[in-house]
Amino acid sequence: MRKILIQLGIYKLVAFVLKRTSHFPIWSNLEIDIQSSCNRDCEFCPRFWDRTGVRKDKQGNQVITKMPSEKVYDLIDQACKLGFQGKVKLHRLSESLLDKRYVEFAEYIKAKGLHLHENTNGDVLKKNEALCAKLDGLIEHLTIGLYDYKNETEKQAEMAYWRSKFKKTQIVFSLPPENCTIRQGSKVYFEVQKNPKALDAPCTQPNRMMLVRYDGNVSLCCEDDGCHFDLGNVFEQSLPEIWWSYKHIKIARTLEKQSGRHQFDRCSRCYNGQERVNLLTEPFPK
């Protein structure tokens, strides 16, 4: 028995015990925010109105800082030792390709047999043909946000451009001008009509997503970049300690029920999951 435990390793042992006792599965998506900044300031992004010092300071200036490299590698290693084999992203509300370390992290993730998915506004890649070539195939699934097109012809031209740059990576497109998610903290949140029925819908994000901010704090979901639930910090605790904590599981189990969002202030104002909105005020000119 002792030999088996040694072979399993401490992380797998912890995962095995906690999963069996809590019946709460490991996450399917791991997002590690390797740095804090973005080169755009989009009206539909939750970082738009932030003045807390997380994404922007009191004057509205960007906070620019990075997660230490050794911690990024440690989180990937912890996940692998727990038996995680799912999707990894290297951003939260940031443009991860601004970080010069991105390729080395991506290579490490692939070497571990994990699946790298990424989102980008494409600005860094447009200026760096060599980086496109390096990332083609290294990133398995790349979502590129298209924000600047003024008509259908321009949109299709942008799509064709990106498809020509990536032959091995699966490319999909995000189109916020036409298909925008309502996010707390965004300018859009206060301007569009919201459906109150969305607040009664179950939420399963906390069951599926381990989200780590650049400073180590863990978010409950994609609407909790402020880490309002105080779940823990990976610089001080291990991933399994946070994920399988009583607090996290209790919140997740509450939210997966109908009207569970009303039990938490942050969630009671979350319309993520309702029908997306079209921000275009008039049809594209022909």
Side-chain angles (χ1 to χ4, degrees):
M1 183 65 178
R2 182 182 178 187
K3 184 177 180 181
I4 293 175
L5 294 180
I6 292 173
Q7 289 174 342
L8 280 173
I10 187 63
Y11 286 111
K12 285 189 177 180
L13 175 59
V14 170
F16 175 78
V17 172
L18 289 172
K19 282 192 288 185
R20 286 294 295 271
T21 56
S22 67
H23 305 288
F24 193 76
I26 195 170
W27 58 84
S28 57
N29 296 272
L30 172 63
E31 295 187 14
I32 303 171
D33 198 24
I34 59 175
Q35 60 91 38
S36 62
S37 63
C38 184
N39 59 303
R40 290 193 178 227
D41 195 23
C42 302
E43 64 178 356
F44 49 80
C45 180
R47 62 185 293 144
F48 188 86
W49 288 121
D50 182 59
R51 297 296 185 272
T52 66
V54 173
R55 300 295 174 179
K56 298 179 182 178
D57 62 21
K58 292 181 179 180
Q59 288 72 45
N61 300 313
Q62 280 202 69
V63 171
I64 302 177
T65 187
K66 297 178 180 180
M67 180 181 287
S69 294
E70 62 272 17
K71 196 59 201 180
V72 177
Y73 290 122
D74 175 61
L75 292 173
I76 296 167
D77 288 343
Q78 283 190 51
C80 288
K81 289 174 182 177
L82 288 168
F84 173 67
Q85 297 179 320
K87 303 173 185 176
V88 180
K89 294 183 179 181
L90 297 177
H91 78 280
R92 283 289 299 113
L93 296 179
S94 54
E95 174 54 56
S96 58
L97 295 178
L98 292 171
D99 195 317
K100 302 298 184 182
R101 305 170 298 170
Y102 189 91
V103 172
E104 64 184 73
F105 291 148
E107 291 173 340
Y108 192 76
I109 289 167
K110 185 172 184 178
K112 289 288 185 177
L114 300 176
H115 308 283
L116 181 58
H117 289 219
E118 201 55 80
N119 294 57
T120 180
N121 57 41
D123 294 346
V124 173
L125 294 173
K126 276 187 176 180
K127 301 174 183 177
N128 195 332
E129 296 273 344
L131 183 58
C132 289
K134 284 183 181 179
L135 294 178
D136 191 17
L138 195 56
I139 297 176
E140 289 188 18
H141 184 282
L142 182 62
T143 300
I144 300 175
L146 304 183
Y147 312 138
D148 304 323
Y149 55 90
K150 296 181 175 59
N151 52 56
E152 186 66 23
T153 299
E154 289 184 5
K155 181 174 76 175
Q156 294 301 324
E158 283 198 52
M159 289 181 173
Y161 169 82
W162 287 117
R163 291 188 181 113
S164 73
K165 297 300 178 184
F166 292 91
K167 302 301 183 182
K168 302 173 186 176
T169 294
Q170 180 184 3
I171 299 294
V172 297
F173 300 99
S174 171
L175 307 171
E178 300 175 68
N179 194 29
C180 183
T181 300
I182 300 174
R183 307 287 300 277
Q184 292 184 73
S186 68
K187 182 181 179 183
V188 167
Y189 182 88
F190 299 98
E191 296 179 342
V192 302
Q193 184 174 356
K194 296 180 278 292
N195 183 355
K197 292 183 179 179
L199 300 179
D200 294 325
C203 176
T204 61
Q205 279 200 27
N207 304 57
R208 300 177 285 108
M209 305 175 76
M210 169 59 88
L211 310 176
V212 185
R213 205 168 65 188
Y214 64 87
D215 58 3
N217 286 311
V218 172
S219 303
L220 179 71
C221 64
C222 67
E223 288 292 292
D224 182 37
D225 191 55
C227 301
H228 299 87
F229 292 86
D230 194 25
L231 295 175
N233 187 294
V234 298
F235 296 169
E236 301 167 357
Q237 300 163 274
S238 68
L239 291 179
E241 284 180 293
I242 296 172
W243 182 256
W244 282 292
S245 68
Y246 174 82
K247 184 175 187 178
H248 175 242
I249 294 175
K250 178 68 173 177
I251 295 171
R253 291 305 192 205
T254 300
L255 288 171
E256 69 184 9
K257 298 176 182 177
Q258 191 77 17
S259 299
R261 299 189 194 197
H262 296 289
Q263 302 300 311
F264 308 100
D265 179 62
R266 185 74 180 172
C267 306
S268 68
R269 294 178 276 113
C270 174
Y271 292 86
N272 195 347
Q274 80 159 68
E275 61 274 13
R276 298 189 178 189
V277 296
N278 189 329
L279 301 179
L280 300 175
T281 55
E282 56 186 47
F284 284 141
K286 296 182 179 180

